[in-house]
Amino acid sequence: MTLAPVGEQLREWRARRRMSQMDLALDSEISTRHLSFIETGRSRPSALMLQRIADCLEVPNRARNALLLAAGYAPDYQERDLDSPEMAGMKAIVEHVLKGHEPYPALAVDRHWNMIAANAAVGLLTQLAAPELLAPPVNVLRVALHPGGLAPHIANLDEWRAHLLERLDHQIDASADSGLIALRSELAGYGDAERGQDGSAANGIAVPLILDTPMGQIRFVSTVTIFGTPVDITLSELAIEAFFPADAESAALLQKMAEAE
């Protein structure tokens, strides 16, 4: 893969963060002239300076490696598979969190929303989706919004679709990831599934997922957990999404469904 020059990459990140050269120069404690020289290729930044600028621009670890490589330096961040021996401890933490959330659904996803781990309760959701959508790699946004997935079973589909696409937009703004851009285009192109009534956010506090199941309607709210100080790329891009029942009736139904398994 051909990398864009480091100056061009920095210019793109600065534009994405809506920062002027003067703003970035002040934040990174260099002169505007020096920053201009870096962006135009007339000056080569040190690795330390590049990291300082990347900090100010909140550049993700994967993109920082690209900046370092383009400037002629070795990448700082490794990318290990979650199944590798070095990641055994981190994988155990993920599995512990997922298992501890039962009987409620929880899953771990990578940067493209591909499911990399899940607890047993996730099966309560995926059993509503067409089998072809569950062939690895399982993309949880595709399963959620595809007409053959959960979409026909989501009572507040318009609201939930808008919520997911907004989250995806925030990720694209933060990462400039081409895979996420392609995924968003795919999701936006799905035809309207049969829709129920829009559900209002639970008490105006959070957007719920209102799911119709063969055993009754369940209202979920979700939380997202990330690792606090990751230096590995895989770990920095991993997120755990945990679904909680939004009311006592949903909690009782989830418990009943778990016991029936």
Side-chain angles (χ1 to χ4, degrees):
M1 187 177 85
T2 303
L3 290 171
V6 64
E8 182 180 324
Q9 291 186 49
L10 286 175
R11 251 193 333 272
E12 289 177 357
W13 279 108
R14 182 170 58 77
R16 184 171 289 274
R17 298 295 183 250
R18 298 175 177 85
M19 295 181 72
S20 67
Q21 275 191 347
M22 180 175 292
D23 290 336
L24 181 55
L26 288 171
D27 286 353
S28 54
E29 299 179 342
I30 61 176
S31 70
T32 305
R33 177 184 174 88
H34 192 181
L35 178 59
S36 176
F37 278 18
I38 292 171
E39 288 190 355
T40 57
R42 297 174 66 185
S43 179
R44 177 175 179 251
S46 68
L48 184 62
M49 178 179 291
L50 201 52
Q51 285 285 24
R52 191 163 73 241
I53 296 172
D55 284 341
C56 296
L57 292 172
E58 298 180 348
V59 178
N61 291 350
R62 183 180 296 275
R64 289 182 187 229
N65 276 353
L67 285 171
L68 289 164
L69 285 168
Y73 303 110
D76 271 358
Y77 304 96
Q78 295 189 52
E79 183 177 8
R80 305 170 180 88
D81 191 275
L82 195 61
D83 290 322
S84 66
E86 300 94 330
M87 295 284 276
M90 299 300 102
K91 183 179 180 181
I93 291 173
V94 172
E95 292 174 345
H96 176 75
V97 172
L98 297 178
K99 181 67 177 176
H101 194 65
E102 293 176 354
Y104 309 140
L107 48 87
V109 297
D110 65 15
R111 77 186 195 278
H112 291 147
W113 292 78
N114 293 317
M115 187 168 66
I116 57 177
N119 66 11
V122 168
L124 302 175
L125 306 179
T126 56
Q127 67 183 359
L128 300 173
E132 57 267 23
L133 293 175
L134 304 179
V138 178
N139 187 276
V140 299
L141 292 189
R142 187 176 294 119
V143 170
L145 299 181
H146 193 282
L150 298 184
H153 308 280
I154 299 176
N156 61 329
L157 180 57
D158 286 328
E159 182 181 41
W160 189 247
R161 185 199 304 273
H163 166 67
L164 292 183
L165 292 180
E166 183 180 13
R167 285 179 60 182
L168 199 50
D169 286 339
H170 287 315
Q171 284 185 271
I172 291 169
D173 284 343
S175 68
D177 188 286
S178 59
L180 290 176
I181 294 170
L183 177 61
R184 197 208 186 284
S185 178
E186 176 191 336
L187 299 177
Y190 290 157
D192 290 347
E194 183 181 348
R195 302 183 184 195
Q197 77 279 7
D198 278 346
S200 59
N203 299 320
I205 297 172
V207 176
L209 167 61
I210 306 175
L211 193 65
D212 291 324
T213 77
M215 295 183 68
Q217 191 176 85
I218 304 174
R219 296 173 65 92
F220 291 103
V221 292
S222 66
T223 64
V224 178
T225 302
I226 59 173
F227 282 85
T229 55
V231 292
D232 178 271
I233 290 176
T234 298
L235 209 58
S236 71
E237 296 173 341
L238 184 148
I240 297 174
E241 183 119 14
F243 292 87
F244 292 84
D247 50 46
E249 293 78 12
S250 296
L253 184 52
L254 283 166
Q255 185 65 48
K256 182 179 179 181
M257 294 171 73
E259 292 170 354
E261 286 294 308

